[in-house]
Amino acid sequence: MRDVDLTSAAMAKLTGTTELLDREWAPCRNACPVHADVRAYLEAAAAGDFVAAAEIIRRDIPFASICGRICHHPCEQNCRRADVEGAVAIREVKRFVVEGLGASAPVHKAILQNKAAVAIVGAGPAGLAAALDLAKLGYRPTVFEKFPVAGGIPRTAIPKYRLPADVVKQDVDWIAAHGVTIVTGVEIGKDKTIADLQKQFAAVLVTTGLAKSRTLPLPGADHPRVLPVLTFLEAVAFDQPLDIGKNVLVIGGGNVAVDAARSAVRLGARVQMMMLEDEQEMPAWWWEQHEAKDEGVTFIHRRGPVEIVVKGGKITGLKHRKVTRVFDEAKKFSPTYDDADQAVAACDAVILAIGQMPDLGFLAGCDVKPDANGRVLFGINKATHETAVAGVFAAGEIVTPPGSAVEACASGQRAAKAIDMFLSGKPIVLNDATPPYIGTIDAQTADKLIRCDRNPTPTEPADVRAKNWNEFEHTFPEPTALAEARRCMSCGSGAEVVVDKCAACQTCFRVCPFDIPKVTDVARIDSALCQACGLCMAACPANAIVPKGYEPHALRDRVKSAVGKLPAGKKVVAFINGFHADAASWTGKADPAPAGVAEIYLSSISRLGPAEILAAIEAGATGVLVVTEPAGADRYPTTMRKAHAYVTRVRTMLKEIGLNPDRAQLAVRTAANRAVVVAAERDCMNSLIR
Amino acid sequence: MIVADRKPMEEILAMLAPYKRVLVLACGGCVTVCVSGGEKQADLLASQLKLAAAAAGRADVQFDVDCITRQCDREFAAMLKKPLDQYDAVLSIACGVGVGFMSELAPQATVLPGLNTTSYDASTAKGVWQEYCGGCGDCLLAETGGICPIVRCSKGLTNGTCGGTKTGKCEVSKDMDCGWYLIFKKLQAAGKLELYTKVRPAKKWSKDRNGKGARRLTHKELMETEEFSK
């Protein structure tokens, strides 16, 4: 719980800033390697504003299309909804949003791109992310790529059933449009050297990643049907002919091994995966394991390769032995074997997918030398991305442990900051601290939330998808994307209490469906638990509760402006609970509302109190129509009952001053049906005299 | 807590009819707690007054809203956004204490009551307040099982029940509990019926408000002067 005690005086000073009312980060954002504002883009998507959502996504995620397909989504792993009934399908919503905008994603170029030229070696996620940020800062980045196309591993090794080439191209083109020059087919260390680049560019960033497959010195490993995994996956990516036989054995239990296995299945082979680890130990994501098994891949756990058995020039099998342990007591990789337990698994091709390593070819002809030990190469200072040679930086998987595309992007973005500091003559100091973020949801609060199950990703049946290279997962249809975005609980958006106004009256506690406010000297609302429904704000007799992340008077201003735009004559403001509304209705692109009706869509009408309804009438509305979902169909349990009570209250208040009570009306209808909403608006309009 | 309820709208409208610049003044104390006179209620009332004025074709009237922590303390009055006498009228939606004190502090201002002050209540359920104390100045609760006979007995008797009690209800209304029957049951349950049978001398009503001027509480250790008017 953040320790913010607001006062009226502090509130009064907030003009032009929302500092005290800034929402804390939700765990999804904190967990995202590039710290994408997940909550904000889900909220925009939930309101049907997919363009705004895409803008928010692209602000932090350079590979938005790619991440919409293949991101390992730590946001979802950390989604607080996981403790309710299932994480929000954040990646699928992102995929829907980004795909909808397609190639027309807006490009925000630097006004002046006249700063130093920077060379980047490798057009993968790290390199292109760095290039994009440098271009946005006004630098002139040129990215050199040894392959004939840019995109790195996502283009050259991730199979197209997971990530089609045109999806990668969309992100690459979008990055290039920011003023990033991409030169393909040029290999540094062969066609040019780093020294050459240093002469032409003010700084060089090496992001060559892990471009080489690790191999095993097994007897028989030199057979042409023993394929290093990247060689295999690259051939698949570039539609090159492959000779893998009918019975493939993949050695390895990581995600790349699974990619290889599932690709081999699509080439018509019977595929087994053999790995040292058991089911729990194997590093591949659990969902990848399931998908592979569904496609017919067999897993052989806890066996280590001994020899590739070659008879008559042909591979006939793989001799393997029992693994007695994979990790030692210190959890360090240190396998031991039982040589007494050996067997041969029949196969006619072997793919070695036991990991990747850097290809140090780029070092040829330059002063940068590799270190002797393991992964930390040529003296990289991980804190600053500097190598032993001034002006030469490194980022991505040659610096970090092996990871996902989004992690490489984060490393590239960090390196771009370092290079900017270096080229500005400043000391390189990178602060990786993130703002405070809220923790997990507690069980009592989770119990009180309305259950709303996660929508499954549309997936091709295993027997169909295993026979082709088409994408095996499909984009959500719009209603599903909306429903899923609306499952987001906007964590961290809770209410804040203005302490000098609070009378400790207990009203907030009494109206809260989740029992969150704790009233002692004043009310305190734990933002880690508050569901931001706004029922307490609408009810607080002291006006002491303010929402975080919103302008306190934003709704009234919006209503005023909407009423002002209506033609002379009868005017109706319709407050519509948008929880089930379609995007076109919410964004005003559907059948128009009847003449004279201004529609105000809200994520829930729980924040709407009598004051807001009366304010709309004061602003010039002849009538106000509140369209609420039937009881239980809103995201909060008591919305409909409260809406009914508040509209009734306003009707009494209107009657007291001699006005027609029908100027405030309630319609309990689902906004999912536009025709029904429009009919309610027409009824309201027709019922008003004048 | 002091409980008050909004006056009927026609009474408020009639009171304010002569005035153009009106302040609706909320109180952050008891009347906020009982959801009758806090800032939100002031906003709602001002909204109603504006709509009523517009409906009556009065474009020349203005309704402002202000709220102070308590209208019964002079220090909080210093926190008003504008002096009260700059308005033609101030509609205070505090209890009668606030109305009276504000008009004493701002003698040039016209301070009018927006609420009817009713009682000293407890919040017995969500949205429900019930009277528990008659403010008689001579508390009897020690002998009545905590049930105030001044409030609960329709005759305010200090020795009950009277002959008008019938199956636990009062002769005044069959829907009203007999206060002394409630006291009897409570004392019976507590094994203290001797308190019920005890004959209390006639109540000192002089401690109530009859003919003695405003009652006053003094804590000498907190006072700087003992001189004050009656």
Side-chain angles (χ1 to χ4, degrees):
Chain A
M1 181 174 181
R2 192 167 59 153
D3 193 17
V4 177
D5 268 355
L6 270 180
T7 61
S8 307
M11 281 288 288
K13 283 187 204 140
L14 280 184
T15 326
T17 160
T18 56
E19 192 191 328
L20 285 170
L21 293 174
D22 278 351
R23 298 192 280 178
E24 288 155 285
W25 278 21
C28 49
R29 185 174 190 182
N30 187 66
C32 173
V34 298
H35 302 308
D37 195 347
V38 178
R39 177 178 59 200
Y41 72 70
L42 288 179
E43 285 170 347
D49 192 347
F50 304 130
V51 176
E55 284 270 323
I56 299 166
I57 292 168
R58 293 260 186 206
R59 206 166 59 201
D60 302 300
I61 309 178
F63 275 23
S65 306
I66 293 171
C67 286
R69 298 296 205 289
I70 54 123
C71 191
H72 69 303
H73 48 62
C75 51
E76 291 185 27
Q77 266 92 291
N78 287 273
C79 173
R80 285 156 50 102
R81 190 115 214 169
D83 289 333
V84 182
E85 74 296 72
V88 175
I90 300 169
R91 186 179 77 184
E92 311 310 327
V93 177
K94 174 162 55 222
R95 173 174 173 166
F96 169 83
V97 164
V98 174
E99 190 168 278
L101 217 56
S104 61
V107 170
H108 302 291
K109 281 186 77 167
I111 299 164
L112 269 181
Q113 202 179 353
N114 59 359
K115 291 190 187 166
V118 179
I120 294 164
V121 185
L128 287 177
L132 174 65
D133 279 11
L134 287 167
K136 283 186 186 166
L137 288 168
Y139 293 95
R140 292 171 292 124
T142 301
V143 188
F144 295 94
E145 170 57 51
K146 70 174 177 181
F147 279 97
V149 285
I153 292 286
R155 175 63 185 87
T156 63
I158 295 182
K160 50 198 162 194
Y161 66 87
R162 285 178 61 207
L163 184 62
D166 58 338
V167 173
V168 180
K169 185 171 185 299
Q170 195 173 302
D171 284 342
V172 171
D173 289 348
W174 180 79
I175 291 169
H178 286 78
V180 173
T181 307
I182 300 173
V183 181
T184 55
V186 172
E187 187 169 350
I188 304 304
K190 202 161 125 195
D191 305 318
K192 268 177 194 291
T193 64
I194 288 198
D196 294 337
L197 297 179
Q198 280 184 283
K199 284 176 207 145
Q200 290 172 47
F201 296 91
V204 177
L205 174 65
V206 180
T207 57
T208 48
L210 304 177
K212 245 163 89 173
S213 312
R214 285 190 188 278
T215 51
L216 282 172
L218 298 175
D222 54 351
H223 192 280
R225 270 195 181 173
V226 177
L227 294 167
V229 70
L230 287 180
T231 310
F232 170 71
L233 289 173
E234 282 160 16
V236 167
F238 292 105
D239 300 319
Q240 287 161 359
L242 271 164
D243 175 23
I244 58 159
K246 285 283 155 205
N247 193 358
V248 174
L249 196 143
V250 179
I251 300 177
N255 292 307
V256 181
V258 176
D259 279 351
R262 295 175 68 184
S263 295
V265 166
R266 283 160 175 77
L267 290 171
R270 176 181 162 260
V271 183
Q272 304 173 80
M273 283 178 70
M274 182 182 292
M275 67 209 79
L276 307 183
E277 302 89 352
D278 66 19
E279 212 172 312
Q280 275 73 44
E281 290 163 335
M282 69 179 284
W285 299 113
W286 60 266
W287 57 86
E288 297 253 8
Q289 298 180 34
H290 284 288
E291 287 158 4
K293 282 181 183 167
D294 289 350
E295 290 170 11
V297 176
T298 319
F299 285 27
I300 306 166
H301 293 290
R302 284 270 175 165
R303 303 298 296 187
V306 177
E307 180 195 339
I308 293 161
V309 185
V310 181
K311 279 182 191 158
K314 285 187 176 169
I315 295 176
T316 58
L318 180 92
K319 188 190 273 184
H320 52 88
R321 56 184 168 168
K322 187 181 176 180
V323 174
T324 48
R325 74 156 195 214
V326 183
F327 302 99
D328 63 14
E329 290 74 21
K331 304 256 161 81
K332 237 181 105 185
F333 182 74
S334 172
T336 55
Y337 304 95
D338 174 5
D339 279 324
D341 182 348
Q342 296 202 353
V344 173
C347 63
D348 44 32
V350 173
I351 297 171
L352 290 175
I354 54 157
Q356 291 80 248
M357 54 197 259
D359 180 349
L360 298 178
F362 67 88
L363 292 175
C366 96
D367 295 339
V368 186
K369 295 287 173 243
D371 290 351
N373 58 336
R375 301 196 35 73
V376 183
L377 298 162
F378 48 92
I380 291 166
N381 178 346
K382 287 189 181 182
T384 64
H385 294 269
E386 292 169 294
T387 65
V389 177
V392 178
F393 295 78
E397 282 183 321
I398 55 164
V399 181
T400 64
S404 67
V406 71
E407 286 165 318
C409 286
S411 179
Q413 290 174 342
R414 199 173 179 279
K417 282 186 203 149
I419 292 170
D420 176 41
M421 288 170 182
F422 170 75
L423 293 175
S424 315
K426 295 179 197 151
I428 302 173
V429 183
L430 296 167
N431 181 5
D432 296 325
T434 54
Y437 67 98
I438 57 172
T440 50
I441 196 162
D442 73 334
Q444 288 108 312
T445 307
D447 274 353
K448 290 171 192 142
L449 293 168
I450 293 180
R451 294 286 180 278
C452 182
D453 286 335
R454 177 183 167 118
N455 291 282
T457 307
T459 307
E460 283 291 308
D463 57 333
V464 175
R465 70 186 193 231
K467 294 191 185 83
N468 64 51
W469 291 95
N470 300 337
E471 269 194 277
F472 83 106
E473 287 179 332
H474 300 294
T475 311
F476 274 153
E478 184 178 297
T480 315
L482 283 171
E484 204 50 38
R486 289 167 186 166
R487 291 182 65 237
C488 172
M489 302 186 291
S490 295
C491 301
S493 311
E496 209 67 80
V497 176
V498 180
V499 289
D500 56 325
K501 281 187 162 188
C502 177
C505 68
Q506 297 282 8
T507 304
C508 52
F509 174 72
R510 289 170 188 167
V511 300
C512 179
F514 311 107
D515 301 331
I516 305 304
K518 297 282 171 276
V519 186
T520 50
D521 54 339
V522 291
R524 290 176 207 282
I525 299 172
D526 187 341
S527 53
L529 304 178
C530 176
Q531 294 300 306
C533 66
L535 286 163
C536 60
M537 280 165 43
C540 175
N543 283 345
I545 302 178
V546 286
K548 277 200 286 206
Y550 298 91
E551 287 289 325
H553 296 294
L555 180 57
R556 288 185 196 199
D557 294 345
R558 199 170 140 202
V559 169
K560 221 173 182 174
S561 134
V563 174
K565 284 180 196 148
L566 290 175
K570 284 193 286 186
K571 300 174 184 187
V572 166
V573 171
F575 290 108
I576 303 167
N577 187 340
F579 190 54
H580 294 292
D582 61 280
S585 300
W586 193 317
T587 52
K589 290 173 194 141
D591 303 345
V597 176
E599 293 182 339
I600 308 279
Y601 275 85
L602 300 168
S603 58
S604 167
I605 53 161
S606 51
R607 283 186 183 183
L608 200 68
E612 285 71 30
I613 301 172
L614 274 184
I617 296 176
E618 249 189 79
T622 321
V624 174
L625 173 68
V626 177
V627 182
T628 176
E629 294 292 332
D634 186 46
R635 70 175 69 212
Y636 308 116
T638 56
T639 307
M640 196 281 267
R641 214 170 64 219
K642 281 288 167 198
H644 180 263
Y646 288 147
V647 171
T648 306
R649 171 89 195 281
V650 172
R651 289 172 67 89
T652 309
M653 294 174 87
L654 291 170
K655 214 169 165 184
E656 280 180 340
I657 51 175
L659 299 181
N660 178 5
D662 286 343
R663 292 181 67 177
Q665 297 186 19
L666 180 76
V668 183
R669 311 277 163 83
T670 175
N673 188 337
R674 170 106 193 120
V676 168
V677 172
V678 172
E681 289 167 347
R682 195 166 291 123
D683 288 350
C684 177
M685 187 57 112
N686 292 340
S687 71
L688 293 167
I689 314 147
R690 194 176 91 180
Chain B
M1 166 197 58
I2 298 174
V3 161
D5 194 12
R6 214 204 60 208
K7 278 184 174 291
M9 185 53 76
E10 28 320 350
E11 194 182 335
I12 293 175
L13 291 173
M15 252 192 309
L16 295 178
Y19 306 108
K20 288 185 178 173
R21 298 183 67 247
V22 175
L23 175 71
V24 180
L25 181 58
C27 174
C30 307
V31 289
T32 295
V33 178
C34 69
V35 198
S36 293
E39 189 179 289
K40 172 136 319 132
Q41 272 54 47
D43 278 345
L44 290 170
L45 183 52
S47 256
Q48 276 184 295
L49 293 171
K50 283 179 211 170
L51 288 171
R58 290 188 65 185
D60 57 337
V61 289
Q62 176 194 326
F63 297 95
D64 287 355
V65 169
D66 199 354
C67 178
I68 54 175
T69 306
R70 283 195 300 273
Q71 290 187 26
C72 52
D73 280 302
R74 74 175 67 238
E75 291 84 352
F76 290 122
M79 294 176 184
L80 284 162
K81 288 191 199 97
K82 271 193 213 170
L84 298 184
D85 54 16
Q86 290 192 11
Y87 290 93
D88 298 338
V90 175
L91 183 69
S92 163
I93 55 169
C95 67
V97 178
V99 178
F101 196 52
M102 287 297 112
S103 72
E104 187 175 311
L105 292 183
Q108 304 303 313
T110 301
V111 183
L112 306 168
L115 307 183
N116 290 321
T117 306
T118 55
S119 45
Y120 309 124
D121 292 22
S123 169
T124 51
K126 288 185 185 184
V128 178
W129 287 266
Q130 185 182 300
E131 186 174 15
Y132 274 76
C133 170
C136 71
D138 187 17
C139 189
L140 288 163
L141 292 173
E143 297 181 0
T144 58
I147 297 169
C148 176
I150 310 302
V151 170
R152 301 307 298 264
C153 170
S154 55
K155 297 169 185 172
L157 299 177
T158 53
N159 290 289
T161 61
C162 72
T165 187
K166 196 174 177 189
T167 56
K169 298 293 175 189
C170 174
E171 65 180 336
V172 171
S173 161
K174 62 177 169 36
D175 297 324
M176 184 164 51
D177 288 328
C178 166
W180 272 103
Y181 180 75
L182 295 175
I183 293 168
F184 170 79
K185 296 302 282 184
K186 185 87 184 282
L187 293 174
Q188 187 183 44
K192 292 180 178 172
L193 274 180
E194 73 280 5
L195 290 171
Y196 178 70
T197 50
K198 177 182 168 185
V199 177
R200 273 164 284 274
K203 183 169 166 61
K204 291 176 191 163
W205 286 108
S206 61
K207 291 189 177 176
D208 200 340
R209 58 188 66 79
N210 288 1
K212 291 271 188 167
R215 285 175 291 174
R216 185 174 285 132
L217 168 71
T218 56
H219 286 298
K220 289 230 156 99
E221 71 280 14
L222 296 174
M223 293 168 69
E224 286 181 359
T225 169
E226 291 186 30
E227 286 175 29
F228 38 79
S229 70
K230 288 213 169 175

